[in-house]
């Protein structure tokens, strides 16, 4: 059964500040070329002191609205699908509503599945059109604030970014396959320990700042993902009598260059089908998949009826795959 959904408009935004790998080498007293060799990135983009996260998000939303030839008052629901929060309370979508200042109290809510947040929101939105005709899905992740630069292998792959898409029902096309799994054996492999009730300033005796840094056991995460992702993809497709040969375009989460290279090798993928923007965008967390989708829709000859596979992993460890048939 198909879940009709069309993308009326899509936008993305990269911050102004450019951080070269050579600069990180100097700051961390590393041999020149070390950071680029480890991360595969020549540069990444972070918020500057003169730019706010709200400005970044507004830029992405404005592009999506212009692309769709709509205004904010044409929107019936807002879903904020960011991996990081502006603050603990209120919820992210309320801050998005305040930023956009619509004339009506548009309903809004959050979805957080870290790197798979937007993909999950896209799937859920396809089931909400009886209530909301036009839905705005946004993501804004400022990874730069929580990076521990003593670990270049982890910190060096991340970047800041924002995305937005406006979706509606469609008379043709839509989601023909959706599958999500959680493999919590890898729960500890990606974490920010602080910010919740488990470890809080009242029960932690050390410097709580250390609990705000992102931690990743890259080797264990890579090993687990390499083991579970290929069969997840093949079995998901097989459930709808599909194979990778039936897929016209592949939009993966831009986790790292090594992960993208690995999935190409493991699945023997046609590289011309795969959207790889890692070298120019880095890992923008939840904004990675929609930023790559933006690249697909704006730079490739995408035709009605073609099948687009959006796929990735998240902290937890979560797996997600959606096959969208272009209306």
């Amino acid at each position: 059964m198909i879940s009709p959904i069309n993308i009326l408009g899509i936008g993305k935004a990269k911050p102004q500040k450019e951080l070269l790998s050579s600069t990180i080498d100097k700051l961390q007293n590393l041999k020149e070329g070390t950071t680029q060799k480890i991360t595969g990135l020549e540069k990444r983009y972070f918020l500057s002191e003169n730019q706010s996260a709200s400005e970044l998000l507004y830029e992405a939303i404005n592009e999506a609205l212009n692309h769709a030839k709509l205004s904010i008052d044409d929107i019936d629901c807002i879903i904020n699908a960011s991996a990081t929060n502006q603050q603990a309370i209120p919820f992210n979508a309320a801050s998005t509503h305040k930023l956009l200042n619509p004339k009506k109290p548009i309903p809004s809510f959050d979805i957080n599945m870290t790197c798979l947040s937007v993909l999950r929101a896209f799937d859920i939105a396809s089931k909400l059109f009886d209530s909301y005709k036009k839905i705005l899905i946004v993501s804004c992740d400022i990874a730069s604030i929580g990076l521990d630069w003593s670990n270049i292998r982890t910190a060096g792959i991340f970047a800041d970014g924002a995305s937005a898409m406006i979706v509606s029902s469609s008379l043709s096309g839509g989601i023909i396959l959706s599958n999500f799994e959680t493999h919590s054996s890898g729960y500890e492999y990606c974490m920010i320990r602080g910010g919740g009730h488990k470890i809080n300033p009242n029960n932690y005796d050390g410097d709580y700042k250390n609990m705000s840094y992102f931690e990743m056991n890259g080797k264990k995460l890579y090993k687990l993902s390499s083991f579970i992702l290929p069969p997840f993809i093949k079995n998901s497709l097989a459930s709808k009598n599909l194979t990778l040969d039936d897929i016209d375009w592949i939009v993966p989460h831009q986790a790292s260059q090594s992960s993208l290279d690995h999935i190409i090798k493991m699945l023997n993928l046609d590289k011309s089908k795969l959207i790889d923007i890692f070298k120019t965008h880095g890992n923008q967390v939840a904004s990675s998949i929609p930023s790559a989708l933006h690249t697909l829709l704006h730079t490739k000859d995408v035709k009605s009826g073609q099948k687009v596979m959006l796929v990735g992993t998240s902290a937890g460890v979560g797996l997600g795959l959606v096959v969208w048939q272009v209306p």
Side-chain angles (χ1 to χ4, degrees), residues 71-141:
S71 73
I72 184 56
D73 292 306
D74 295 313
I75 302 300
D76 302 301
C77 181
I78 299 170
I79 303 175
N80 190 306
S82 303
T84 57
N85 295 327
Q86 176 173 293
Q87 59 192 71
I89 294 176
F91 60 103
N92 268 342
S95 67
T96 306
H97 189 284
K98 182 176 176 63
L99 170 68
L100 297 173
N101 192 29
K103 295 177 182 178
K104 55 185 179 180
I106 301 170
S108 65
F109 62 93
D110 290 351
I111 290 175
N112 188 341
M113 198 179 171
T114 59
C115 299
L116 290 173
S117 299
V118 172
L119 188 56
R120 196 47 158 151
F122 185 67
D123 175 50
I124 290 174
S126 72
K127 301 170 178 61
L128 297 179
F129 294 129
D130 286 342
S131 300
Y132 311 116
K133 301 303 180 186
K134 297 182 182 67
I135 299 174
L136 171 64
I137 301 171
V138 306
S139 176
C140 183
D141 278 323

Side-chain angles (χ1 to χ4, degrees), residues 9 16-17 22 24 40 43 68 104 107-108 117 121 131 134 158 175 180 200 205 242-243 249 252 266 280 282 286:
Q16 299 167 349
K17 181 181 176 182
S22 58
I24 297 173
K43 57 190 174 183
K104 55 185 179 180
S108 65
S117 299
S131 300
K134 297 182 182 67
F158 285 97
I175 294 175
F180 292 84
N200 63 75
D205 293 331
L242 297 171
T243 69
W249 303 102
M266 287 289 291
T280 54

